[in-house]
Amino acid sequence: SGLSSNKAYQFRVSAYSETLKSILAYSKEITAKTAIAAPKGLNVSATKSTGFTLTWKKVTGAKGYAVYRNESGKWVKIGTTTETKLALSGLKANTKMKLRVRAFNASKVYSDYSASIYASTGPKKVKNLSASAKTKNTVTLKWSKSDGAEKYVVYRFVNGKWKAVATVKNTTVTDKKLKANTTYKYRVQAFKTVSGRKTYSNNSAVLKVTTKK
């Protein structure tokens, strides 16, 4: 114990005489290298209804990383990568899982496992986005409830970018202070919170609405 990770050490063994109180001989010296450190900083990003990306910090000396998922109490390898991230896709919405990672060096000697984290895919994609009412300066939007959603973020396309204009618990919102006889584009994204992280759905289909003259 007390050794540093990913470092070479030299060892030898001595024969000692209790009678003579002295060392009689030394063995041949050998060199042994400790394993690389375990990955740290596991996080989840780019969440969607059907997947997300697991990320972590780079480990010195690592040539690759193996990612494991806990399935019914057993850890199962689900992928390997040479990067400090792994994208998981093709999953169902609202799928929660427990994950961990370990690194390996060029000799395929593995590190200890990282701390595990819980991750989840986002709620189901928001559907049936429509304009229930509009005036010269306002547009009222509505949509169907998304399974697993805590709240919804409403985006309007502004100056070439999607800008969040409201975050609501309900499935309706009124966008105000708009220009008359102007076409606006909207989309909605659902999210929930898992282990302190916001987990988002896929974006809804884009809706175009023209205010009244």
Side-chain angles (χ1 to χ4, degrees):
S1 63
L3 304 180
S4 299
S5 60
N6 195 37
K7 186 175 181 179
Y9 292 89
Q10 288 73 43
F11 299 91
R12 64 181 182 178
V13 179
S14 63
Y16 180 79
S17 171
E18 277 291 338
T19 303
L20 300 175
K21 302 295 181 180
S22 64
I23 296 174
L24 302 178
Y26 289 100
S27 69
K28 183 179 179 181
E29 188 177 274
I30 65 167
T31 299
K33 192 174 184 179
T34 53
I36 54 180
K40 295 181 180 180
L42 267 67
N43 199 9
V44 178
S45 64
T47 56
K48 297 181 179 180
S49 301
T50 55
F52 55 83
T53 298
L54 181 68
T55 63
W56 54 89
K57 294 180 180 179
K58 184 179 180 180
V59 174
T60 301
K63 293 298 181 181
Y65 305 87
V67 179
Y68 299 81
R69 174 179 176 176
N70 192 285
E71 298 180 2
S72 302
K74 294 183 179 180
W75 288 100
V76 178
K77 184 191 291 186
I78 60 172
T80 57
T81 178
T82 57
E83 300 181 282
T84 55
K85 62 182 179 179
L86 183 69
L88 304 180
S89 60
L91 305 173
K92 293 182 179 180
N94 300 304
T95 299
K96 187 177 180 180
M97 63 188 73
K98 192 176 184 180
L99 300 165
R100 67 182 184 182
V101 180
R102 62 176 176 167
F104 58 85
N105 62 18
S107 300
K108 288 294 179 73
V109 176
Y110 284 81
S111 71
D112 289 335
Y113 290 100
S114 69
S116 59
I117 66 167
Y118 283 99
S120 176
T121 54
K124 288 186 176 181
K125 177 181 176 179
V126 173
K127 295 182 178 181
N128 302 318
L129 177 61
S130 64
S132 59
K134 60 183 180 179
T135 67
K136 289 182 179 181
N137 307 113
T138 66
V139 169
T140 299
L141 303 171
K142 68 175 183 178
W143 55 89
S144 298
K145 183 179 179 181
S146 171
D147 183 33
E150 292 176 4
K151 292 183 179 180
Y152 303 88
V153 183
V154 180
Y155 299 88
R156 187 197 326 135
F157 198 70
V158 180
N159 298 325
K161 296 181 180 180
W162 287 101
K163 179 182 178 181
V165 294
T167 300
V168 296
K169 287 185 178 181
N170 299 323
T171 56
T172 183
V173 70
T174 298
D175 192 20
K176 302 176 181 179
K177 297 182 180 180
L178 304 176
K179 294 181 180 179
N181 195 31
T182 302
T183 299
Y184 293 93
K185 291 193 293 185
Y186 294 94
R187 70 184 188 190
V188 179
Q189 199 174 25
F191 73 86
K192 63 180 181 178
T193 303
V194 178
S195 298
R197 291 181 292 270
K198 289 183 179 178
T199 302
Y200 290 86
S201 72
N202 290 27
N203 290 303
S204 70
V206 175
L207 174 70
K208 291 183 179 180
V209 184
T210 303
T211 52
K212 290 185 176 181
K213 295 181 180 180

